[in-house]
Structure formats: structure tokens, C-alpha cells
Amino acid sequence: MAERSFKKEVQQLRIGAGEEFRGEGILAVTKALLQSGVGYVAGYQGAPISHLMDVLADAEDILEELDVHFEASASEATAAATLSASVMYPIRGAVTWKSTVGTNVASDALANLASGGVTGGALVIVGEDYGEGSSIMQERTHAFAMKSQIWLLDPRPNLESMVQAVEDGFQLSEASNTPVILQLRIRTCHVHGRFITKENKRPAYTLSEALESPKRDTGRIVLPPAAYEHEHEKIRERWPAAVNFIKEKKLNEVFDEGDIKDLGIIVQGGLYNGAIRALQLLGLADHFGNSRIPLYVMNVTYPVIDDEINEFCKDKKAVLLYEEGQPNYIEQNLNTILRHSGSNTIISGKDVLPIAGEYTTAVMRDGLQKFLTNQRPELLPTLEETTPAAASNGGNGQANGNGHDQADMEVAEVTRPKPVVKEQPIHFQSFSKEISQVVPPRPAGFCTGCPERPIFSALKLTQEKLGEHHISGDIGCHLFSVLPPFNLGATTMGYGLGAASSAAFNVKSSKRPISIMGDGGFWHNGLASGIGNAVFNKYDGVIVIIDNYYSAATGGQDVLSSRANNPNRSTNNPIIDAVKGVGVKWVRVIDRTYAVSKVQATFEDALTTEEGGPKVIILQSECMLNKQRRVKPQFNQAVKEGKRMVKERFGVDGDVCTGDHACIRLSGCPSLTIKDSDDPLKEDPVAYIDNTCVGCGNCGEVSHAAVLCPSFYRADIVHNPNKWDMFKSRVRQRVIGFLQSRRSRQLEQISL
């Protein structure tokens, strides 16, 4: 079950030449692959590129019609190694994953691929997860491209440029016998637009043909002495071939229609939209993107083309470089090129822009403003009006939460030297500081009803009894356990590396280390690097595997142990079989994680048993988010058809609740909150369950596991009740009514 279904949208992939394609960036990239005659596609899901895999899965029948092989890889390393099909054969292949973490996983295969080179076009489509919307460490793919000398494309964020970049990427790869990385930034992945399509192409050379006529060239295999020659070949042959292709095909773009000829802007293609907006805010570009300052757009950010840089900077006093992230690789490269050519053009970059961090429109606008202040202050707009905040502040500005001055964030209408359509004033206001004083922080957390929540409730109760233990985390939903209310976990090293992260703690101690990984991480990397390593080294710690039936954190894709009957994948392969297969002797499986007391007892058993070797606990319950996506439509349809359906809901009896709130401290479920007590003698608020409850029962389970709490109750909501349901309801109402009346009479007598 994927995060999104694209069954309807993928039908656009069939449209022929000359038609208009409308849709999201990822769908356009898929169409571009088919138009380019790709022979095979593989990859591993991960934001912001996750739904490229979902699109490909939903379009599998279209791929089969074109003889295109698609495969969901076990990991990014598997995907990268798949490109070896393009080493000996002229087959175009593409793989995809989340960068930079996926690129790190794939680094061995990519380095070998880049060393030996390719015959067919090899394209690596990475989702560049950099900036405030990111979920990973902040690094750039650029560093890896430079290290292995893989050419890096960073197209302008519009569908035409992205589609063209796919085709250009394959051609560049074939022209230089080098793999190419196509970098799609977060906003690029989700941009919407249109382009005119071409006809889909069957692969010029198929995988079946390759199998029928096998080829080998030992010069392409990374073994001495060939490996030594590969390094020289990159510089002697492949690099010049790439440079010539980039220049001849004009992959980089120059926009120099503006009237300000002594200044220039060099920008990474992916930042183009932000650069144009920054120019517009200062009155230096119109609504159609026509800039008064010439622009050199680097749709290819590596390699940098010396001739183009020298030509663009010729006769310019200064040039501003927009290079997002650090280190400033491109800025250093540009300075080297210009100084070697004898140019005196000033390259301004990190001196006026932040060294690190995302280049938002406001950041880019501020950097441009500083650049112009240093070089051509007369070009800056004349402020014809200011906001009341700036006026009352004497024009000095008040610092906001982003480190910018309030006055700096205001842009007024400007007067241009040439006739233009009058524009309304544009104002940027930052209220983050004020908002932060009213709205409390909201850290990431588990979904309502998440089956992982009771696991960490049980672990927290276990530690209250046995003391604090070292806990190694992993990538996935379970990493939210490091935040309140659980506050569990000390480290996380990578996807599937939870058990490996505890390897060093394989020493005698009164407390065993605990490590956690999900089923997605287990199949991605954990089986060999975690479980196999633990068996081999007689690791005496506890390894927890959370099996929620999907690779839930990346969108709910199926994995080997998923319960779904997937027509295109092999599922229903139990984790326990794999664990025992590599030699684990102590294994416990709990098939309902909401049984908090049972999970707690299993934790205690694993941490106190005298048996040596790794102790593996497999905890199984379906991801609630995916379950609701699957069950809700079925439930609603059944109700419409008049079938008797029962929905479980939980509640809290406010008269019984003591206000202890142990249920909240041990659960943290978004549906579990508090409300004022109706009892004037109870000053503390009581627990309350809102309408988002999905009936998992975890709140009641944890409250009972911690301390006996009778305030929780379960209510069954019956849709389309039958006669027996109606009879039971009438009897219950009469009994409850009788008891309530009797209670009321007793209270009246007491009051008298």
C-alpha cells in the first residue's frame, strides 16, 4: 500500500507527441524517462523523491508495454549496483533515492561505477533533502559528485527544464561514458506545470538482448592495473567530452537582455525561481522573469565550464553567486577560473549571503541587497512607503526570530527607469517571535493510534522498574520516541543500523544495551549489519524489531514481511524466519503491541535472562495510518450498503478520573487531552478523548499497566443495528435509567 495512488495520473504517461502534459514534477520526470528510451528503472523510496517509486509502481503496466524493467530495490546500494547493466551494454538505466543519506548508502557501488565508466546512459535521480523542510543531516550531493567525478545536473524548477534535464542527462552520460546525477530539490519535486510531450520510446537495446549476447571488457572492471588507468581516463577523456557536450548543447543558460551590463548573477539552476523573485522584490525583474541584471544559470553545477564563466564575467565589475549550502565549492572554483585567466571580476557569494542554511526568497533578496549596496547602490529601490512597525521603530528595525531585521524584511513599491505595469507594494513580515510566545513547540510525534506508542510506554515502565538503559535508535517512525513523553534513545546512525549502533556495548555489565529498528530498516540493512553481526560476535544485548507491516516512514510501501498480497512483489516472508536463519536462538514474537503489560514483561525477561547471545523481540501490529486508509473506505461502503458495522471508541469518565494523567504521560496520543472538570471540588483538569480517536485502546492499556484506572471505558457505535441490537439498547437504557433515578433519590435524601 503506497502513500499515494497515482493510478489515474499515470495514464498521462501514454499521451503522444505534441500534446500538453499537466501535472506534478515527479510525474513529468517519469514521462521524461519513457520519452528518453530508458531500459530499466530501480530505486529506494525516501522524501522528497518517495512518490517517484509510487508513480513507477502504479505505471508498471505501461512500463511493461515498452519493455522497461522496473524494480523496487532492497536499498540504495542495490539500486546503484543495478546501473552496472549500463557498463557493458548500451542500455539507458535510471535509479532514484533520497540524498544525501541514500547516496551515502550507495557510495561503494557509485564509486565503482564512476571508476570503470558506463557504455549506456546511467542516470541517478536524487531527491536533494536540504533545508528547513528536511528530515536528515544537512549535506550536499555536490561533494560526492566532485569526489567521484560524476556530473551533477541541477535544473531550473519548471517542468520543461526538468524533462529536458532527463534527456540531457542520458546523452551527457553516453557522450562522456560517465554516470550523471540529476538533483531534484524539495520544491522541484512538488512543482506543478505543463510541457509539450514527445512520443514514448522503446529501449534501443533491451536487457533481453544483452542476456542473449553477453559482453565483457576487463578494462571496465575496477581491478589493478585498470583501476589506475580509470583515474587518468576521467581527466584525459571523459571530462573533456563532458565539457564539450555541455557547451555544444548549451545545457547552462545565459539571460542577458537586461540593461545593467557591469554586474551579473550566477545561480544554481534549482535556485533560479528564488533568484528571480528576489530580483522582482527589488524592482530588478518583471513578472515574466526578465531580469535587468544578466544571469548565468548553472543547470550543470559540476563540472564547471571555464570558458562559459570567463565569457559571462568578461567586462563585469562584480558577479553575485547564489550557492546554497556549504562548503562554497562553486565559489572557490569560480575564483580559481577567473584568477587563472587574469580576470579582475569580483565574485561575491558567502560574504553577503549566509554560509550555511536554506536560501529562501527573503535570504536571497537580502544578499542581493547587500551586493548592490557594495557595488551599485543607486540600483536599489526608493522606498516610497514603510510599514507602521518600521516607522514606529525609527527605521532601525527590530530583530526577528530568523536573524533578519524587521526593516530589512520590508519591500516597498519601486520606480523603474523603463515603463512597466505599476505593482503593489510587497511586504515581508515575520511574526515568528510573537507566535512562539503564544503557541507552544510542537515536536514530531506518532500518529493517533500508532502501534509503536505502546511499545515505548512499556519500555518506559520497564526502565522505571529496572533502571535506565542505553538505547540505540534507528531511522524510522520509532525515532520519535526520543521526544516527550517517552524521552528514550541516545543515538541514531542510519537506516537499519540500530543494532549495529550498540555493537560497541558488547561487554559484561549489570545492564544490557537495547537497540531498536523497524521492519523497513531490518530488510534495508539491519539483517546483515545488525542481526548477523550480533550473532557472529555473541552480542548479549536486546534487539527490538518493530514490524508494522510496511516501510511506514517512507510512505507505506510494502516490504518482504508485509501482510499484503502484492501481485508484483514477494511478501509474507516472516522476520522471525530470517532472524533464526542467521543463528539467533532467543526470539520472542508479540503479535499485538497494544498489550502493554505483555510487552513490558517481555522486555523485563530479555533484560534479566541468564541466556547469552542476542535477545531479539519482534513486536507486530499494523501501522494505524495505513490501516485507516485501507479500512475506512471499506467501512463507509459497508454502511452505505446497509450492513451492520461496529466502530469502537474509547472515552474517559470525568467523574471517575482523578486527574493523575498517567495515561497522558505514558501515551502522548494526540487524541488524548484534558478538559476542565465538571466537579467543583476537583480543581485539576480531567483526561478527555476527542473525536480523532481510532479506538486502539492504548490509553487505557497504559493507564492500567501503570496504575489501576477505572475511568476508561469502551463504547461500541453500531451502524445499521439489527433487532437484537435495538432490544439490548432498550434494556440498557432502562437499567441505566433505573440506577440513575435511584442514585438521584439517594442524593436527595442525603442532602436533606
Side-chain angles (χ1 to χ4, degrees):
M1 176 180 178
E3 179 182 9
R4 289 177 59 182
S5 173
F6 293 88
K7 284 292 186 183
K8 180 179 179 181
E9 290 91 335
V10 297
Q11 297 309 312
Q12 281 198 89
L13 300 177
R14 297 183 185 275
I15 63 178
E19 299 186 53
E20 186 178 72
F21 181 102
R22 297 187 181 190
E24 195 174 10
I26 292 299
L27 202 64
V29 169
T30 311
K31 175 62 175 169
L33 290 172
L34 301 183
Q35 292 179 174
S36 299
V38 69
Y40 61 95
V41 189
Y44 194 87
Q45 63 275 355
I49 208 79
S50 277
H51 55 300
L52 178 54
M53 295 297 294
D54 298 332
V55 167
L56 289 164
D58 284 340
E60 196 145 12
D61 56 338
I62 301 174
L63 301 180
E64 289 177 358
E65 292 171 11
L66 294 169
D67 271 342
V68 178
H69 174 67
F70 166 66
E71 188 167 292
S73 307
S75 71
E76 297 86 356
T78 306
T82 302
L83 286 174
S84 67
S86 296
V87 171
M88 299 295 177
Y89 307 99
I91 309 173
R92 288 185 169 182
V95 296
T96 182
W97 55 70
K98 172 193 184 83
S99 197
T100 56
V101 287
T103 305
N104 293 339
V105 173
S107 59
D108 246 14
L110 276 183
N112 277 278
L113 189 74
S115 181
V118 296
T119 301
L123 189 65
V124 181
I125 304 171
V126 300
E128 189 76 350
D129 201 9
Y130 182 90
E132 293 183 1
S134 170
S135 61
I136 60 168
M137 76 289 284
Q138 295 298 272
E139 293 184 359
R140 298 166 59 191
T141 303
H142 198 101
F144 191 92
M146 293 174 63
K147 185 270 294 182
S148 291
Q149 290 175 324
I150 299 176
W151 319 137
L152 181 63
L153 306 186
D154 187 8
R156 288 194 289 144
N158 64 70
L159 265 55
E160 287 184 350
S161 296
M162 294 158 59
V163 169
Q164 187 62 45
V166 172
E167 189 171 327
D168 291 340
F170 281 124
Q171 293 178 359
L172 174 60
S173 176
E174 291 163 344
S176 61
N177 301 116
T178 303
V180 171
I181 296 176
L182 173 59
Q183 172 181 293
L184 300 180
R185 297 165 185 266
I186 295 176
R187 290 176 177 82
T188 308
C189 288
H190 301 295
V191 70
H192 282 252
R194 64 186 71 182
F195 69 96
I196 302 302
T197 60
K198 298 179 182 178
E199 201 71 41
N200 292 337
K201 297 180 182 177
R202 289 181 173 273
Y205 193 85
T206 66
L207 294 167
S208 297
E209 290 177 297
L211 290 174
E212 293 296 329
S213 304
K215 298 178 182 178
R216 63 189 302 270
D217 178 1
T218 55
R220 298 273 67 82
I221 299 174
V222 185
L223 279 174
Y228 310 139
E229 178 60 23
H230 292 165
E231 183 180 18
H232 296 283
E233 183 184 293
K234 286 180 181 179
I235 304 301
R236 188 178 61 244
E237 299 174 17
R238 298 189 214 166
W239 191 310
V243 169
N244 290 336
F245 181 88
I246 294 167
K247 289 166 61 176
E248 291 173 4
K249 296 293 184 178
K250 299 186 185 302
L251 301 192
N252 297 316
E253 299 171 284
V254 177
F255 302 98
D256 61 353
E257 296 84 3
D259 59 307
I260 304 170
K261 299 298 184 181
D262 62 334
L263 299 180
I265 295 176
I266 298 178
V267 58
Q268 293 168 293
L271 298 180
Y272 173 81
N273 291 0
I276 290 296
R277 187 62 176 145
L279 286 160
Q280 289 174 344
L281 293 175
L282 292 180
L284 296 169
D286 61 24
H287 288 307
F288 299 99
N290 299 310
S291 170
R292 293 182 59 198
I293 301 177
L295 283 90
Y296 175 71
V297 182
M298 301 180 71
N299 293 315
V300 182
T301 54
Y302 185 78
V304 177
I305 311 303
D306 297 26
D307 294 348
E308 293 182 353
I309 296 299
N310 283 320
E311 179 62 27
F312 180 77
C313 294
K314 184 177 63 177
D315 300 328
K316 287 182 173 56
K317 180 174 81 169
V319 170
L320 173 64
L321 169 65
Y322 283 123
E323 178 185 8
E324 188 175 56
Q326 55 84 32
N328 57 342
Y329 299 117
I330 300 176
E331 185 175 345
Q332 295 177 40
N333 202 340
L334 297 189
N335 273 299
T336 300
I337 292 169
L338 293 175
R339 302 314 154 234
H340 283 181
S341 67
S343 172
N344 293 321
T345 301
I346 297 171
I347 294 294
S348 188
K350 301 296 184 184
D351 56 328
V352 296
L353 287 155
I355 294 175
E358 183 178 4
Y359 280 6
T360 62
T361 298
V363 169
M364 297 175 78
R365 197 286 318 277
D366 288 349
L368 177 58
Q369 190 170 4
K370 292 176 183 177
F371 171 72
L372 294 175
T373 300
N374 295 336
Q375 304 300 331
R376 291 280 302 275
E378 71 275 11
L379 295 175
L380 288 171
T382 302
L383 295 180
E384 296 182 352
E385 59 180 35
T386 59
T387 63
S392 63
N393 203 29
N396 293 326
Q398 180 178 359
N400 62 40
N402 294 325
H404 301 290
D405 287 344
Q406 185 85 346
D408 284 345
M409 295 298 289
E410 295 152 2
V411 179
E413 184 177 0
V414 299
T415 303
R416 297 179 175 83
K418 56 184 180 181
V420 293
V421 177
K422 186 176 180 180
E423 298 177 1
Q424 295 298 317
I426 301 172
H427 301 289
F428 275 88
Q429 295 287 348
S430 176
F431 298 105
S432 58
K433 184 178 180 180
E434 291 79 3
I435 291 175
S436 66
Q437 295 173 351
V438 180
V439 180
R442 186 181 180 186
F446 298 103
C447 300
T448 300
C450 176
E452 300 186 17
R453 194 185 303 277
I455 295 172
F456 299 110
S457 299
L459 185 52
K460 192 170 183 178
L461 291 168
T462 300
Q463 289 201 125
E464 285 184 7
K465 183 175 181 179
L466 300 180
E468 296 288 324
H469 287 65
H470 176 83
I471 301 175
S472 298
D474 206 325
I475 301 298
C477 299
H478 42 276
L479 192 56
F480 296 143
S481 64
V482 305
L483 301 172
F486 304 110
N487 302 305
L488 300 169
T491 59
T492 176
M493 289 291 103
Y495 198 27
L497 294 177
S501 300
S502 285
F505 296 98
N506 190 19
V507 294
K508 290 185 177 180
S509 173
S510 60
K511 294 181 179 179
R512 289 185 169 117
I514 302 171
S515 62
I516 300 167
M517 74 174 82
D519 46 354
F522 172 82
W523 294 114
H524 178 273
N525 199 3
L527 177 58
S529 65
I531 306 298
N533 180 74
V535 172
F536 184 66
N537 289 291
K538 297 184 177 181
Y539 174 74
D540 194 39
V542 177
I543 302 173
V544 180
I545 302 173
I546 300 175
D547 180 7
N548 57 26
Y549 304 5
Y550 310 93
S551 181
T554 61
Q557 292 84 5
D558 284 337
V559 292
L560 274 163
S561 51
S562 294
R563 306 313 195 264
N565 292 317
N566 192 314
N568 301 312
R569 309 283 179 266
S570 174
T571 53
N572 289 286
N573 298 287
I575 290 176
I576 188 173
D577 291 351
V579 167
K580 288 185 175 181
V582 295
V584 177
K585 306 300 181 186
W586 196 104
V587 186
R588 302 291 185 271
V589 178
I590 296 178
D591 59 7
R592 183 177 178 274
T593 63
Y594 299 100
V596 176
S597 298
K598 186 176 181 181
V599 175
Q600 180 184 350
T602 306
F603 278 139
E604 292 177 8
D605 186 18
L607 291 169
T608 57
T609 181
E610 295 183 359
E611 187 172 339
K615 268 66 68 176
V616 175
I617 303 174
I618 304 172
L619 302 169
Q620 302 171 330
S621 276
E622 184 177 8
C623 166
M624 184 58 71
L625 191 61
N626 282 287
K627 181 179 179 179
Q628 291 300 315
R629 287 174 178 151
R630 176 174 56 82
V631 170
K632 275 187 176 181
Q634 298 172 354
F635 185 94
N636 293 336
Q637 182 61 34
V639 171
K640 286 181 180 179
E641 294 173 356
K643 295 180 181 178
R644 178 184 181 275
M645 301 297 293
V646 180
K647 179 180 291 186
E648 292 183 351
R649 292 291 301 275
F650 285 79
V652 176
D653 188 335
D655 293 334
V656 179
C657 177
T658 63
D660 173 70
H661 301 155
C663 52
I664 296 176
R665 293 195 303 273
L666 289 169
S667 169
C669 180
S671 68
L672 185 59
T673 181
I674 58 174
K675 71 172 184 177
D676 291 333
S677 173
D678 296 329
D679 189 341
L681 300 179
K682 284 185 180 180
E683 295 183 358
D684 294 332
V686 296
Y688 170 72
I689 298 177
D690 65 24
N691 289 329
T692 63
C693 172
V694 295
C696 70
N698 178 50
C699 48
E701 290 273 359
V702 297
S703 61
H704 283 276
V707 57
L708 183 62
C709 180
S711 63
F712 282 88
Y713 65 84
R714 192 190 80 182
D716 292 344
I717 302 174
V718 182
H719 296 265
N720 302 319
N722 55 30
K723 293 181 179 180
W724 175 242
D725 293 321
M726 301 298 291
F727 173 75
K728 288 191 295 182
S729 177
R730 288 193 295 269
V731 171
R732 287 167 179 161
Q733 288 176 1
R734 289 177 181 176
V735 172
I736 293 172
F738 169 75
L739 294 174
Q740 288 177 334
S741 299
R742 188 178 69 174
R743 176 63 174 164
S744 297
R745 289 193 299 271
Q746 291 174 344
L747 290 174
E748 288 176 1
Q749 293 175 357
I750 293 172
S751 64
L752 294 175

